[in-house]
Amino acid sequence: GEANDYVGKGMSGGEVIIYPPRRAQFRPDENVIVGNTVLYGATGGRLFVAGRAGERFAVRNSGAVAVVEGTGDHCCEYMTQGLVVVLGPTGRNFGAGMSHGRAYVFDPAQTFPARYNPDMVTIRRLEEPEINELRELIETHLRYTGSPKAAEILATWPESVSQFWAVVPKAAPAVIPEPAAAPAREEKAAD
């Protein structure tokens, strides 16, 4: 069926798979099927959604992997790890505050360059290892959900893969400075 807000909040493992009833008469990729703030603060696990999500998808994600077919505003906000694949349109402010992790966005309409937040992330086309990873995730999404959108993308893979953007956080400091060590205390020998 469908789900409300906060699906997978604080998720740390396992899998959540959401798709409409097989008898549904609508295209899942054209309809919101999960609510807002899905995967908030997740640290692990995988989520596959045959349909779109509301606003603030994967906010503060720090390790989960997700495939969804569209999102509202503020997707991947403050994300620190994990991987998000969006097989459809996004809202504005994608990746605001995203310091680590990755995202792939399918954008045949070429609207995504105006929707992401450039303060902390850049976008580019996919590279070879990413292409293989993406294909495997879309194949898994299709197997779990029966998604017509995933089937279409895979059926036209050479053309479709060229329409994905990789969302990459800008360089973060390679080394986080350690706190200054406290001066060593001299031990007095017992008399």
Side-chain angles (χ1 to χ4, degrees), residues 80-99:
T80 60
Q81 280 299 330
L83 172 61
V84 172
V85 177
V86 183
L87 302 180
T90 71
R92 64 183 177 78
N93 204 33
F94 190 106
M98 181 179 173
S99 60

Side-chain angles (χ1 to χ4, degrees), residues 42 54 100 170:
H100 290 85
K170 293 180 178 176

Side-chain angles (χ1 to χ4, degrees), residues 65-81:
V65 174
V67 180
V68 65
E69 298 182 355
T71 67
D73 295 344
H74 314 294
C75 183
C76 298
E77 190 175 39
Y78 304 116
M79 190 165 138
T80 60
Q81 280 299 330

Side-chain angles (χ1 to χ4, degrees), residues 37-78:
T37 325
V38 171
L39 278 186
Y40 180 86
T43 61
R46 300 194 310 173
L47 171 68
F48 297 91
V49 180
R52 294 185 185 182
E55 295 187 357
R56 291 195 150 81
F57 185 84
V59 169
R60 297 197 183 281
N61 178 19
S62 62
V65 174
V67 180
V68 65
E69 298 182 355
T71 67
D73 295 344
H74 314 294
C75 183
C76 298
E77 190 175 39
Y78 304 116

Side-chain angles (χ1 to χ4, degrees), residues 9-163:
K9 179 181 179 185
M11 182 176 176
S12 61
E15 293 181 329
V16 176
I17 302 160
I18 300 172
Y19 55 87
R22 299 293 186 207
R23 67 185 182 283
Q25 298 297 309
F26 61 87
R27 281 195 54 108
D29 61 303
E30 296 174 356
N31 290 274
V32 174
I33 192 169
V34 294
N36 298 314
T37 325
V38 171
L39 278 186
Y40 180 86
T43 61
R46 300 194 310 173
L47 171 68
F48 297 91
V49 180
R52 294 185 185 182
E55 295 187 357
R56 291 195 150 81
F57 185 84
V59 169
R60 297 197 183 281
N61 178 19
S62 62
V65 174
V67 180
V68 65
E69 298 182 355
T71 67
D73 295 344
H74 314 294
C75 183
C76 298
E77 190 175 39
Y78 304 116
M79 190 165 138
T80 60
Q81 280 299 330
L83 172 61
V84 172
V85 177
V86 183
L87 302 180
T90 71
R92 64 183 177 78
N93 204 33
F94 190 106
M98 181 179 173
S99 60
H100 290 85
R102 294 169 294 131
Y104 306 137
V105 178
F106 185 57
D107 183 32
Q110 298 299 306
T111 59
F112 188 66
R115 295 179 183 259
Y116 81 97
N117 185 313
D119 291 342
M120 291 189 68
V121 298
T122 60
I123 62 173
R124 61 168 170 72
R125 295 302 182 184
L126 276 65
E127 297 171 357
E128 196 58 42
E130 297 167 323
I131 292 170
N132 297 332
E133 176 182 51
L134 174 64
R135 185 175 180 121
E136 287 176 17
L137 280 170
I138 296 172
E139 287 170 346
T140 302
H141 182 67
L142 175 59
R143 188 169 61 253
Y144 284 174
T145 68
S147 165
K149 183 71 167 189
E152 290 165 7
I153 289 171
L154 291 169
T156 58
W157 185 249
E159 178 186 346
S160 295
V161 75
S162 69
Q163 298 172 336

